[in-house]
Amino acid sequence: MRDIALVAFAQTDHRRTSDEHSEVEMLMPVLHQVLDRTGLKTADIGFTCSGSSDYLAGRAFSFTLALDGVGAWPPISESHVEMDGAWALYEAWTKLLAGDADTALVYAYGKSSPGSVRDVLTRQLDPYYVAPLWPDSVALAALQAQALIDAGHTDEPALAGVAARSRRDAADNSHAQLRGSVPHGDYLVRPLRTGDCPPIGDGAAAVILAAGDRARELCERPAWIRGIDHRIEAHGLGVRDLTDSPSTRLAAEKAGAFELPHGLKGMGGAPTVDTAELHAPFTSQEVVLRKALRLDDSVRVNPSGGALAANPIMAAGLIRIGEAAARIHRGESDRALAHATSGPCLQQNLVAVLEGDPR
Amino acid sequence: MPEVLKAPLTLEFPFTRSLGPVQSAFLTGLRERVVLGVRTTDGRTLVPPVEYDPVTAEEIRDLVEVAPTGTVTTWAWNHAPRRGQPLGTPFAWALVRLDGADTALLHALDVPGPDAVHTGMRVRVRWAEERTGAITDIACFEPFDGHAPAELAGCSGEFEDMVTGIVAPARLDYTYSPGRAQSAYIKALSEHRNVGERCPSCRKVYVPPRGACPTCGVATLEQVEVGPHGTVTTFCIVNIKAKNLDIEVPYVYGHIALDGADLALHGRIGGIPYDQVRMGLRVEPVWTEGSRFPDHYRPTGEADADYDTYRELL
Ligand SMILES: [Zn+2]
């Protein structure tokens, strides 16, 4: 199988609103940055794939207009997922694995400011039994948080600790929307307080993937993708055990997270990674993911601040993979796990394992 | 930077959805004040029922009645109900495992405050007065002080006049902002000017501008006034009257290359019989009183444009 690496990553400064920019105006600088970092031009890219959702801005086929920022003439090989960009990256990765391209540009964006995200996200729920009740995204996360508290996996002070650690780490991340000391706040939907919830904002991100020697030409220390897998659970919330995330654990297993570097078989215990970028928009979801992935204190979790510091919907998962790769590029990590989620209460989960060359 | 425009935008659809046999029985049951589950081959009872086993993906049809009483498995206190939610007063969201079921149903629980709810508490269905065969036929749950399950009606899942579909209205409200480039374009239109933007790389002028050159993938920042005259590059004759449209059919819809623009925009062509519109016809915009955009384009009376002057814009 070909070696494929993430060789460049760029993201916007994430903000509560970006009225002055259309989606393509917000996205374009990020596309230019990521291309500049590799010296590649649009014409050099073998495959382009994006992730976004029309429901956020309330406009149909918005991804086709965003393509203007790529420069899609003469014609390019392009695809789109109505999902977080992490899933677009998965599609691009398989395209490169199959040998259909040597380089890929993956980007994702979301403008949440025009609408009300809590209401918009109800439209992804079961349309017969659940969506007619309009349970918003915070309410569903709060049900999961209460289940965790009842099961003794966490309590409100521990959740406040997750929030404080995330925003403290984000102080070093100039792109983050919520940084430093943030009040834990009042209940939004009890037991979740405003501090347990992600900021609502607009933003975009882009990465470049390359295969084999091409990756080495483009990046001093490529972040090699050792495996990616994604799994889904039943849509019925009452069917699932909300205190666990078996789909995350299975995706991590299949992506090789529990194996030793370079293909040596591990013991199936804790993941052999030094960094984990987890897409946990709510503090309580970090508790679920840490348990599902058996992460102990030796693993640096969300040094970027994670989704609690910036959660541009449809881009936040891709940003986790980008942040993990950037740590490998900078030599701050040798083997990192990146996770992306979609759907209510961690319904769908993607795990990628990234590695730098041995030093 | 010019003022960025904003306007309210409401998207509203009454989605009509058909039901499968299991959903049909469940929702008809709610109309008749009966709760039905579905039994999996390994003996679990799923409420609300689904047509395929979430573990094995096997088709399941074995309907069983469960009690309208149950136990809260988890909850969350919603002190500020939002539009469309089951109750207008503060309530608890709850997952409720009904007596006889192995899975939980999401709904609202009507209690006075968060201190009046806990995991494990006993609740029962409060039926809506008017029931149509929808999940909202359960108005909400309410506290229930008994531990024994309520009596069952002995229902098999067969009803007269089965509900076969639901209408699920969905409404989302947005504040739409078209961004810098299109705001400038729309503002100029209200002053009866057509403004495009030039690509710094390929020098093409785009009207309407969207802020980026689709060929070069770079921002288009230089504003260029184009028109007002232009050339019809291609057209079609519309014979079907659109709902709420106050225009007599047939009428002509065309692509118009404004002078100085490298992209044709589209608009209605009037002031000329529909069967005399032709490629190359020279036209100009007609603005009606108080309008923010041209009502239509009409012939200028100039000689037709030579094909070679607009062939690249087709
Ligand atoms: Zn250009």
Side-chain angles (χ1 to χ4, degrees):
Chain A
M1 212 141 67
R2 311 173 89 193
D3 282 337
I4 292 156
L6 203 156
V7 296
F9 167 54
Q11 62 183 317
T12 53
D13 291 343
H14 308 293
R15 298 173 191 282
R16 180 62 186 90
T17 59
S18 54
D19 291 342
E20 70 280 15
H21 292 133
S22 65
E23 287 159 331
V24 65
E25 287 166 340
M26 177 179 77
L27 173 66
M28 204 161 31
V30 168
L31 297 173
H32 294 170
Q33 276 172 36
V34 82
L35 288 166
D36 286 350
R37 267 166 212 176
T38 54
L40 293 172
K41 295 187 169 51
T42 301
D44 304 325
I45 297 288
F47 181 59
T48 298
C49 199
S50 61
S52 66
S53 172
D54 288 348
Y55 276 79
L56 288 175
R59 345 179 32 192
F61 294 101
S62 58
F63 77 93
T64 59
L65 295 182
L67 259 182
D68 284 355
V70 175
W73 181 268
I76 60 170
S77 171
E78 182 268 342
S79 184
H80 173 259
V81 298
E82 193 77 7
M83 288 282 281
D84 188 290
W87 276 263
L89 184 143
Y90 180 84
E91 182 177 336
W93 178 66
T94 56
K95 192 94 170 170
L96 265 58
L97 276 184
D100 291 343
D102 294 327
T103 51
L105 169 66
V106 179
Y107 63 89
Y109 63 91
K111 277 190 80 167
S112 298
S113 58
S116 166
V117 175
R118 287 174 69 179
D119 298 327
V120 167
L121 291 179
T122 64
R123 301 301 92 193
Q124 69 181 336
L125 302 170
D126 165 5
Y128 301 96
Y129 302 157
V130 183
L133 306 175
W134 293 83
D136 60 282
S137 49
V138 179
L140 295 176
L143 286 168
Q144 186 171 33
Q146 186 64 44
L148 286 163
I149 290 169
D150 287 334
H153 294 316
T154 191
D155 53 26
E156 292 191 35
L159 296 180
V162 171
R165 192 211 71 235
S166 298
R167 275 74 183 242
R168 199 163 54 233
D169 283 344
D172 295 331
N173 176 356
S174 63
H175 301 288
Q177 189 178 331
L178 276 191
R179 307 160 62 192
S181 178
V182 173
H184 200 42
D186 296 329
Y187 287 121
L188 212 48
V189 179
R190 184 171 167 175
L192 293 180
R193 296 170 183 270
T194 50
D196 292 307
C197 302
I200 294 169
D202 300 351
V207 305
I208 289 176
L209 304 182
D213 290 340
R214 198 82 183 89
R216 290 194 177 82
E217 289 163 22
L218 296 172
C219 180
E220 204 171 311
R221 190 168 194 250
W224 300 106
I225 300 172
R226 295 303 181 201
I228 307 182
D229 197 85
H230 59 104
R231 300 282 159 164
I232 184 168
E233 293 173 42
H235 67 258
L237 288 168
V239 173
R240 295 164 45 193
D241 172 4
L242 296 180
T243 67
D244 196 7
S245 183
S247 55
T248 298
R249 188 180 305 112
L250 185 58
E253 265 169 39
K254 298 290 181 186
F258 301 112
E259 293 169 17
L260 289 172
H262 316 305
L264 294 171
K265 283 284 175 193
M267 303 299 287
T272 50
V273 296
D274 53 44
T275 301
E277 278 284 344
L278 305 179
H279 184 194
F282 298 93
T283 51
S284 42
Q285 294 181 340
E286 184 180 303
V287 176
V288 178
L289 293 171
R290 275 179 181 268
K291 181 186 157 208
L293 292 166
R294 303 183 197 113
L295 298 178
D296 60 26
D297 290 342
S298 70
V299 180
R300 185 84 167 86
V301 172
N302 286 349
S304 67
L308 287 163
N311 189 41
I313 292 183
M314 298 297 142
L318 180 64
I319 290 170
R320 303 283 70 77
I321 304 177
E323 289 281 8
R327 268 174 82 80
I328 290 171
H329 296 161
R330 295 194 297 263
E332 293 163 7
S333 167
D334 292 322
R335 195 163 191 267
L337 179 151
H339 160 268
T341 195
S342 183
C345 302
L346 302 171
Q347 189 196 2
Q348 307 175 46
N349 295 286
L350 177 149
V351 173
V353 177
L354 307 171
E355 253 177 45
D357 284 324
R359 290 179 288 187
Chain B
M1 182 176 292
E3 176 201 1
V4 172
L5 299 173
K6 281 187 190 183
L9 170 69
T10 299
L11 295 182
E12 198 163 15
F13 294 99
F15 286 100
T16 304
R17 297 183 176 275
S18 51
L19 303 173
V22 172
Q23 293 167 317
S24 171
F26 175 68
L27 294 180
T28 308
L30 295 185
R31 190 190 67 197
E32 305 303 323
R33 312 222 280 189
V34 167
V35 187
L36 294 168
V38 67
R39 191 124 51 188
T40 63
T41 44
D42 65 358
R44 288 169 306 131
T45 299
L46 310 181
V47 181
V50 291
E51 287 153 335
Y52 296 90
D53 188 315
V55 177
T56 63
E58 200 178 6
E59 188 171 348
I60 42 178
R61 291 288 159 86
D62 183 12
L63 294 163
V64 287
E65 188 185 345
V66 299
T69 53
T71 304
V72 171
T73 63
T74 186
W75 61 280
W77 183 251
N78 187 28
H79 65 82
R82 303 169 75 79
R83 185 176 67 206
Q85 295 183 344
L87 295 171
T89 48
F91 66 90
W93 287 107
L95 280 168
V96 175
R97 190 169 57 231
L98 293 172
D99 297 325
D102 293 291
T103 61
L105 171 84
L106 177 73
H107 221 296
L109 169 61
D110 188 10
V111 281
D115 296 336
V117 55
H118 61 273
T119 297
M121 83 180 275
R122 297 284 292 158
V123 295
R124 70 176 167 205
V125 169
R126 180 191 297 166
W127 297 103
E129 276 180 32
E130 305 239 329
R131 295 180 308 283
T132 59
I135 192 67
T136 45
D137 288 354
I138 297 177
C140 61
F141 284 92
E142 61 189 19
F144 169 61
D145 54 16
H147 276 270
E151 298 251 327
L152 301 187
C155 178
S156 63
E158 302 281 334
F159 300 96
E160 300 217 354
D161 186 21
M162 297 286 282
V163 176
T164 57
I166 58 167
V167 177
R171 173 184 167 148
L172 294 170
D173 288 290
Y174 299 91
T175 302
Y176 180 67
S177 169
R180 177 200 57 80
Q182 293 189 80
S183 287
Y185 172 73
I186 294 166
K187 185 160 187 299
L189 273 185
S190 69
E191 297 160 4
H192 295 195
R193 295 184 302 125
N194 253 305
V195 169
E197 285 187 352
R198 192 190 306 279
C199 172
S201 174
C202 68
R203 310 299 294 162
K204 280 203 161 96
V205 173
Y206 293 98
V207 188
R210 295 201 299 251
C213 173
T215 304
C216 307
V218 297
T220 55
L221 295 169
E222 182 196 341
Q223 278 200 3
V224 182
E225 189 140 345
V226 296
H229 290 198
T231 301
V232 174
T233 63
T234 184
F235 63 93
C236 64
I237 299 165
V238 181
N239 285 288
I240 295 171
K241 198 171 166 68
K243 200 177 168 185
N244 303 329
L245 190 64
D246 191 23
I247 299 171
E248 285 307 308
V249 291
Y251 65 89
V252 178
Y253 207 67
H255 273 192
I256 298 144
L258 294 176
D259 294 346
D262 292 290
L263 187 73
L265 49 70
H266 43 87
R268 186 168 64 88
I269 297 165
I272 178 173
Y274 72 90
D275 56 357
Q276 289 176 31
V277 174
R278 55 202 180 266
M279 290 170 74
L281 181 71
R282 296 284 292 159
V283 293
E284 63 183 355
V286 177
W287 310 81
T288 50
E289 187 66 29
S291 173
R292 298 185 63 137
F293 50 89
D295 178 70
H296 65 278
Y297 291 78
R298 70 178 169 212
T300 61
E302 295 164 82
D304 283 4
D306 189 59
Y307 179 66
D308 284 338
T309 63
Y310 62 86
R311 60 185 297 173
E312 294 293 324
L313 298 174
L314 280 176

